[in-house]
């Protein structure tokens, strides 16, 4: 049995080595894709639940592959985080958003686009400087670019609070993303000034069902109201969910019911249709 054990051990080690190698080359490819500006942005509509009119969009990054497929950000954003690639990635994401916004704002000057920031982006002033430089250059007012920050993203709550304060002072709206799923507790909300809570999809999924999180959803909405914050529900897929949210005083929604994330050109066509509402 010993040789078999050794053989199996060797096979496992070889598999591990191959796995590490493929991760390694994936990081290299990602670094290369960022350097060559080969990421693209998709835009998902955010609508006013009462009028169903589009008021904004979330910018979601995609990594196109040779055969026309896309690698999802759930896969490569953590890879970027672990390998020192977040800052160049966030800078590229901002650059791509600015380019797309030039056209989007021509069609709808009151629209906002929200950008997702990683924990590293919220830990220093660096990205604030980038924004202060890039937005005037692109002729975009700070009110047109909202910032999405997750609770997970508060690596250091004090520096995140400082950065968020400065972003708001510069005129950006700050959205707390994936609200309800963080580990930081709610106490930070008493000291942090933010503008919007985005309720995580996991709570919206179970609205109107018997699942445990369904009974949590009304309380999460209540917290938003108590703090006098605007609320966006994410992952709205059904008309029933939209009705429930509206009845509970949630102003805005985002989800497949209203529109999936789409390339800028498709979002432009979506907005042209939306104008008739
Ligand atoms: P997120 O910020 O929570 O983004 C919402 C995710 O939910 C998106 O996945 C979106 O496509 C998906 N979604 C929206 N509505 C629905 C729905 O009705 N049904 C279902 N099943 N899904 C819905 P996506 O685009 O794959 O992004 C995943 C995550 O990657 C994002 O979660 C965000 O944390 C991260 N991410 C995306 N773009 C960026 C970026 O530019 N920078 C950074 N740092 N992270 C990003
Ligand atoms: Ca987000
Ligand atoms: Ca979210
Ligand atoms: Ca989410």
């Amino acid at each position: 049995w010993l040789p078999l054990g050794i053989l199996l051990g060797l096979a496992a080690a070889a598999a591990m080595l191959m796995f590490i190698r493929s991760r390694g080359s994936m990081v290299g490819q990602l670094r290369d894709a960022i350097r060559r500006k080969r990421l693209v942005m998709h835009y998902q509509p955010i609508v006013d639940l009462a009028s169903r009119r589009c008021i904004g969009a979330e910018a979601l990054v995609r990594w196109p592959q040779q055969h026309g497929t896309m690698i999802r950000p759930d896969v490569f954003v953590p890879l970027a985080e672990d390998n020192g690639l977040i800052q160049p990635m966030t800078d590229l994401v901002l650059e791509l958003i600015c380019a797309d916004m030039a056209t989007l704002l021509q069609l709808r000057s009151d629209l906002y686009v929200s950008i997702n920031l990683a924990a590293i982006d919220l830990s220093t002033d660096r990205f604030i400087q980038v924004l202060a430089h890039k937005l005037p250059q692109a002729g975009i007012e700070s009110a047109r670019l909202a910032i999405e920050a997750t609770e997970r993203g508060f690596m250091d709550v004090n520096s995140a609070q400082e950065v968020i304060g400065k972003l708001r002072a510069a005129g950006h709206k700050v959205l707390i993303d994936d609200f309800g799923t963080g580990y930081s507790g709610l106490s930070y909300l008493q000291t942090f000034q933010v503008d919007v809570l985005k309720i995580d999809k996991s709570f919206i999924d179970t609205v109107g069902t018997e699942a445990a999180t369904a009974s949590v959803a009304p309380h999460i909405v209540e917290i938003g109201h108590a703090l006098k914050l605007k609320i966006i529900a994410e992952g709205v897929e059904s008309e029933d969910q939209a009705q429930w949210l509206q009845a509970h005083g949630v102003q805005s929604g985002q989800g497949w019911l209203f529109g999936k994330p789409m390339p800028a050109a498709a979002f432009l066509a979506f907005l042209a249709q939306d104008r008739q509402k």
Side-chain angles (χ1 to χ4, degrees), residues 11 16 19 32 44-45 86 103 106 108-109 113 139 145 151 160 172 185 191 237 257-258 260-261 266-267 273:
M16 183 60 82
F19 176 72
D32 197 55
Q44 185 177 30
I86 276 295
T103 336
Q106 269 174 12
R108 278 278 292 278
S109 60
V113 171
L145 187 77
E151 297 171 63
H172 299 283
T191 46
E237 292 182 348
L257 177 65
F258 314 113
K260 287 190 177 182
F267 183 53
Q273 285 284 316

Side-chain angles (χ1 to χ4, degrees), residues 24-37:
S25 72
M26 199 170 168
V27 172
Q29 283 166 23
L30 180 60
R31 186 176 289 116
D32 197 55
I34 294 170
R35 195 180 304 133
R36 292 167 193 261
K37 303 185 195 289

Side-chain angles (χ1 to χ4, degrees), residues 152 177-178 181 199-202 234:
R152 268 174 288 114
D177 199 2
D178 298 342
T181 63
I199 302 182
D200 191 66
K201 180 177 178 296
S202 55
E234 69 175 28

Side-chain angles (χ1 to χ4, degrees), residues 207-258:
V207 152
T209 71
E210 302 284 311
T213 47
S215 53
V216 178
H219 299 292
I220 295 208
V221 172
E222 271 312 305
I223 292 169
H225 291 328
L227 293 165
K228 301 196 165 45
L229 295 173
K230 284 217 161 65
I231 302 171
I232 301 175
E234 69 175 28
V236 182
E237 292 182 348
S238 75
E239 188 54 44
D240 283 348
Q241 291 168 337
Q243 303 276 342
W244 184 96
L245 290 161
Q246 221 195 317
H248 286 75
V250 175
Q251 299 90 350
S252 318
Q254 175 184 348
W256 293 359
L257 177 65
F258 314 113

Side-chain angles (χ1 to χ4, degrees), residues 66-86:
Q66 254 158 17
H67 309 289
T69 55
M70 300 270 187
I71 299 187
R72 302 196 67 94
D74 287 334
V75 176
F76 70 87
V77 172
L79 214 59
E81 286 182 310
D82 294 344
N83 291 279
L85 293 174
I86 276 295

